[in-house]
Amino acid sequence: MAVATESRGSEDRASAHANQEKRWVLSDFEVGKPLGRGKFGHVYLAREKRSSEIVALKVLFKSQLKQSQVEHQLRREVEIQSHLRHPNILRLYGYFYDQTRVYLILEYAAKGELYKELTRCKHFSERRTATYVASLARALIYLHGKHVIHRDIKPENLLVGVQGEIKIADFGWSVHTFNRRRTMCGTLDYLPPEMVEKAEHDYHVDIWSLGVLCYEFLYGVPPFEAKEHSETYRRIVKVDLKFPLKPFVSPAAKDLISQMLVKSSAQRLPLHKVLEHPWIVQNADPSGVYREGRSV
Ligand code: AMP
C-alpha cells in the first residue's frame, strides 16, 4: 500500500507507481477504535490488510459535505495534502468513496491532538515551544516553496506523532497561490490584520499565525483574545500585543514573537530567520522532537 513513507529504490518506485493506480475499498481495511469526531464525520484507527500498516481513516458523509457546500474545499485539501512529503506534515496516502461517504487514508498520529496536551499542561515550557515553533517553521518553508499557504495554523490543526513530533494536519483552508488572495478564512484569533481587514494577503499570513501560536504555547491563551469578536478584531488590527507577567517568559522569546506579529506583512521576520533567532537556537531540540522527562 502507499503507506511506505520513504522510497527505497527502483523496486519501491515501481510499487509506488502501482499504488497510485490502486483503487481502495473499505474491505481493504480492518477498522478499529474511533480516534475522534470532526465536523463532517468520524476518524477511526485502521489497518490495511495486505501491508498491515496502521492508518487513520477519516470517514466523511457526502450529504453533510454537500449541505455545507464544502465539496470544493475538500477536493482542494486532498489535492494539496496528498502531494506533500515532510516529517512535520501529516501524510494523506489516498482516498476512496462509496455512495454515501468519502474516506481519507491518513497517517496515524499516535499521540493525538496538541490542543488537548496544551489544555492539560495549561502552557508549554520555552524548550518545548521552541522545538515546536522550529518544526513548524521548517514545515512552512517547505509549504511556501511549493506555493502553498496554509492560512489556518492553530493548535486544533496540529497532531503529535509517535515520537512526539508535531504534524500539521488540516489543509481545509490551504491554497495554491500564485496570486495574492482576498478570502477571509481561518479562525479569528489567528488571523493577521490583512485578512481581518479583507485586504490582499499572501504567504506572510502563516508567519503571523506562527507568532500567535508561539504566544499561545507559552502563555496558554492567544494574544488578541477578547470576550467579543469585535474586540479581538480591533486588537488584531492595532496589533495590541501585551505580555503578561505570569507565567514568566524570557525577553528573547518575547522578542521573537514581536518580530513575527508585525502589522506590515513584508516586515515580519522571514521563516529562515526564525530558525536562526537566538531563542530558537538556544532552546529548540535539533531533532525536532519533544520528549517528556528530558531536559527539553
Ligand atoms: P478532524 O475531523 O480532522 O477534526 O478529526 C477529528 C478528531 O480525530 C481529531 O480531533 C483527532 O482527535 C482525531 N484524528 C484525526 N486525524 C487523526 C490522525 N491522523 N491520527 C490520530 N488522530 C486523528
Side-chain angles (χ1 to χ4, degrees):
M1 113 167 250
V3 292
T5 44
E6 298 285 329
S7 176
R8 277 179 236 98
S10 57
E11 214 176 285
D12 280 1
R13 275 196 292 279
S15 79
H17 183 69
N19 284 330
Q20 275 173 9
E21 317 263 301
K22 169 135 178 76
R23 295 242 174 114
W24 298 102
V25 288
L26 190 54
S27 59
D28 288 326
F29 299 87
E30 272 169 44
V31 180
K33 67 167 184 179
L35 293 172
R37 209 179 155 165
K39 201 169 164 204
F40 301 107
H42 302 255
V43 182
Y44 298 92
L45 191 65
R47 185 198 303 271
E48 200 271 327
K49 288 177 186 166
R50 270 185 51 199
S51 66
S52 292
E53 293 274 3
I54 298 291
V55 295
L57 203 60
K58 192 186 247 193
V59 185
L60 305 159
F61 290 96
K62 283 182 177 173
S63 53
Q64 287 176 23
L65 297 169
K66 209 168 187 167
Q67 203 176 11
S68 308
Q69 298 180 316
V70 291
E71 300 127 296
H72 175 72
Q73 193 180 318
L74 177 67
R75 244 181 240 124
R76 189 159 66 183
E77 179 176 354
V78 169
E79 172 61 27
I80 289 176
Q81 201 176 347
S82 61
H83 286 100
L84 302 173
R85 306 278 184 279
H86 188 279
N88 300 112
I89 295 174
L90 195 81
R91 280 286 306 271
L92 172 63
Y93 299 121
Y95 70 96
F96 57 96
Y97 48 86
D98 57 25
Q99 278 219 306
T100 52
R101 289 163 288 205
V102 178
Y103 303 83
L104 303 185
I105 312 166
L106 293 160
E107 175 183 357
Y108 170 50
K111 291 199 173 157
E113 290 170 83
L114 187 72
Y115 182 70
K116 281 198 185 140
E117 220 1 55
L118 184 59
T119 310
R120 188 181 70 82
C121 301
K122 296 205 169 61
H123 61 89
F124 294 150
S125 67
E126 297 206 11
R127 287 180 176 269
R128 186 174 191 173
T129 301
T131 303
Y132 288 158
V133 169
S135 297
L136 291 170
R138 282 191 286 268
L140 290 171
I141 289 170
Y142 168 83
L143 278 183
H144 295 170
K146 291 199 164 294
H147 307 286
V148 172
I149 43 178
H150 188 278
R151 305 199 296 181
D152 200 17
I153 296 289
K154 58 181 176 178
E156 292 87 333
N157 289 340
L158 300 171
L159 292 175
V160 184
V162 69
Q163 310 284 346
E165 72 282 22
I166 199 165
K167 307 243 175 209
I168 301 179
D170 196 323
F171 282 77
W173 282 118
S174 61
V175 278
H176 262 126
T177 173
F178 292 100
N179 304 311
R180 290 170 72 86
R181 320 216 21 125
R182 274 180 183 271
T183 325
M184 166 112 156
C185 53
T187 315
L188 192 57
D189 270 310
Y190 282 80
L191 292 182
E194 64 271 27
M195 277 177 84
V196 298
E197 289 182 314
K198 297 200 175 93
E200 287 186 332
H201 62 266
D202 59 14
Y203 64 91
H204 291 99
V205 297
D206 288 337
I207 305 177
W208 175 279
S209 305
L210 188 59
V212 174
L213 200 63
C214 185
Y215 185 109
E216 183 165 355
F217 285 167
L218 292 168
Y219 289 100
V221 286
F224 307 111
E225 195 181 52
K227 283 211 181 88
E228 302 290 330
H229 257 45
S230 54
E231 177 65 4
T232 302
Y233 180 103
R234 192 193 61 79
R235 293 193 62 200
I236 292 170
V237 173
K238 269 183 53 195
V239 195
D240 179 18
L241 180 61
K242 291 178 190 139
F243 295 108
L245 292 175
K246 278 191 181 167
F248 173 81
V249 168
S250 67
K254 294 182 202 166
D255 176 73
L256 175 62
I257 293 169
S258 307
Q259 290 197 61
M260 288 194 276
L261 297 180
V262 173
K263 175 139 185 172
S264 162
S265 65
Q267 302 300 315
R268 290 175 200 149
L269 193 68
L271 291 166
H272 69 275
K273 296 255 183 196
V274 170
L275 291 173
E276 291 167 7
H277 189 278
W279 180 73
I280 292 287
V281 173
Q282 273 163 27
N283 289 285
D285 189 314
S287 72
V289 171
Y290 169 79
R291 287 188 198 90
E292 246 166 288
R294 282 197 346 190
S295 56
V296 172

